[in-house]
Amino acid sequence: SGLRFLDGNFAMYWLIWCGGAWLRERLTAGELGAPPLAVTALAVAGLPLAAWLTERGVGGVSNVVWGGIYFWLLWALLATRACWCGCPGILVTALRALGRWSFSLYLLHFPLLLLLGAWWVDRAGAKPANYLVCVAGCAAILPAVWLFHRLVERPSHGWARSAGRQSAAGAET
């Protein structure tokens, strides 16, 4: 049923993280141009391939191809700044907050969604059939993510900076 080397381990997330970090670095430096024609051609050619692989149940490979297509789409949108033009202030604020909370969200999303899923199955007897229930579950974990960010992640950053200053001061003497 396909290659599973990227399923169930950190490799897929590492690819996503590296791609996002590269886009952010280029965007911040003002050097993010539109995707080259070859990358665009790969993304366009990848659409029917991804659909075929998904239909055939080749999960690992289709996930990589879909990921490449989504990466191209994000790159194209960021390069044209189309996703920010006329964007309501509240949406930009919400996206920035998610960016600040992203590590806390990364750490907590899986166990919290597992708990919510188990709760749902216990109450409803089966997994949700409506995609909006899953979206609501994602929104439902945000208060816990915010609290974790506020009580654990932010203080940890302060402690790390303080330890780094103390270590640097100790090295100078």
Side-chain angles (χ1 to χ4, degrees), residues 50-88:
W52 181 78
L53 289 168
T54 301
E55 199 270 317
R56 303 271 310 180
V58 185
V61 177
S62 68
N63 289 343
V64 172
V65 177
W66 281 118
I69 293 166
Y70 294 137
F71 180 79
W72 170 83
L73 181 61
L74 179 61
W75 183 354
L77 287 171
L78 289 173
T80 62
R81 306 242 181 215
C83 57
W84 303 114
C85 297
C87 209

Side-chain angles (χ1 to χ4, degrees), residues 88-134:
I90 192 159
L91 180 59
V92 172
T93 302
L95 290 173
R96 285 186 179 147
L98 279 176
R100 276 192 310 278
W101 306 339
S102 64
F103 188 65
S104 297
L105 182 60
Y106 165 74
L107 291 175
L108 295 179
H109 81 281
F110 189 68
L112 290 178
L113 289 175
L114 279 178
L115 288 172
L116 278 174
W119 176 84
W120 182 272
V121 169
D122 184 53
R123 298 293 183 275
K127 291 183 179 182
N130 188 329
Y131 182 73
L132 293 178
V133 173
C134 299

Side-chain angles (χ1 to χ4, degrees), residues 25-63:
E25 181 181 305
R26 300 266 105 334
L27 184 65
T28 302
E31 300 171 357
L32 184 66
L37 185 57
V39 175
T40 300
L42 280 172
V44 170
L47 279 170
L49 175 64
W52 181 78
L53 289 168
T54 301
E55 199 270 317
R56 303 271 310 180
V58 185
V61 177
S62 68
N63 289 343

